[in-house]
């Protein structure tokens, strides 16, 4: 057990139980992105993902994990390119639309446009868009790890990002600013700081 009374994840060398693992990660806030790639028939396929990580600075690379059941890995392999579109805070509806198995993206078609490279991107509703060339694909349990070299990037500095936490979409709440350090004063005679009454003598 942890200090707060929640189940501990410690499990020695054995893998922890699946439900415990999922509940632990539900307590970690993640950015929400839409992964887009061109299909072999010239259409666009996309999924919502919350597991995008900066992998390397030189060269600029990222990785994103994709559930094996989505079939998105095959699309990315064939296309050789993909885009990662981080959604803005007011686009939770888009995240839900791309997370459904039977996608009807007709309403979103106007905002899916070609990027600087031959890859579909979201033209609006994003905080950042990264266009990638597929660099490598690895298997990781029931997911695939897609590694991409970032060949173009754009962002909106004033856009508030959409986050996912405990099964819900939400916004980032900045912590209160730290109080400014108080001005230091030279001690007064005999040795008491300014504004402090001497303690009574016994």
């Amino acid at each position: 057990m942890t200090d707060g009374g929640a189940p501990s994840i410690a499990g020695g060398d054995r893998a922890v139980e699946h439900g415990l693992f999922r509940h632990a990660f539900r307590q970690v806030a993640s950015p929400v992105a839409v992964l887009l790639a061109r299909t072999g028939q010239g259409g666009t396929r996309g999924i919502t993902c919350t597991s995008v990580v900066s992998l390397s600075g030189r060269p600029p690379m990222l990785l994103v994990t994709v559930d094996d059941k989505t079939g998105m890995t095959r699309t990315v392999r064939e296309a050789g390119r993909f885009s990662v579109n981080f959604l803005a805070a007011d686009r939770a509806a888009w995240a839900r639309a791309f997370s459904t198995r039977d996608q009807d993206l007709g309403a979103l078609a106007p905002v899916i446009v070609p990027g600087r490279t031959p890859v579909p991107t979201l033209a609006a509703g994003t905080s950042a868009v990264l266009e990638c060339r597929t660099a490598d694909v690895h298997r990781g349990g029931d997911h695939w790890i897609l590694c991409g070299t970032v060949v173009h990037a754009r962002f909106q500095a004033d856009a508030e990002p959409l986050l996912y936490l405990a099964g819900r979409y939400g916004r980032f709440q900045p912590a209160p600013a730290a109080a400014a350090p108080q001005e230091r004063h030279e001690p007064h005679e005999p040795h008491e700081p300014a504004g402090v009454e001497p303690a009574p003598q016994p």
Side-chain angles (χ1 to χ4, degrees), residues 75-167:
T75 301
V76 169
R77 281 183 184 273
E78 293 176 350
R81 297 176 180 271
F82 61 92
S83 70
V84 176
N85 304 261
F86 290 97
L87 296 179
D90 59 351
R91 302 298 173 171
W94 290 12
R96 296 186 185 96
F98 281 102
S99 64
T100 59
R101 290 187 180 276
D102 299 321
Q103 296 180 357
D104 181 8
L105 303 180
L108 293 175
V111 298
I112 300 176
V113 299
R116 290 285 187 89
T117 60
V119 63
T121 66
L122 294 179
T126 60
S127 59
V129 176
L130 305 174
E131 300 177 31
C132 303
R133 181 180 68 251
T134 306
D136 213 344
V137 179
H138 302 279
R139 185 75 188 214
D142 58 4
H143 277 57
W144 288 95
I145 304 167
L146 311 180
C147 301
T149 301
V150 180
V151 295
H152 182 69
R154 57 181 168 86
F155 63 92
Q156 297 290 334
D158 58 347
E160 188 179 358
L162 180 66
L163 299 179
Y164 185 73
L165 175 66

Side-chain angles (χ1 to χ4, degrees), residues 11-12 14 20-21 30-31 43 53-54 56 59 65 73 86 94 103 105 125 138 144 153 176-177 180 191 197 200:
R14 296 184 304 169
L20 180 58
F21 173 77
S30 303
V53 179
S54 171
S56 168
T65 64
T73 302
F86 290 97
W94 290 12
Q103 296 180 357
L105 303 180
H138 302 279
W144 288 95
H191 296 290
E197 295 290 334

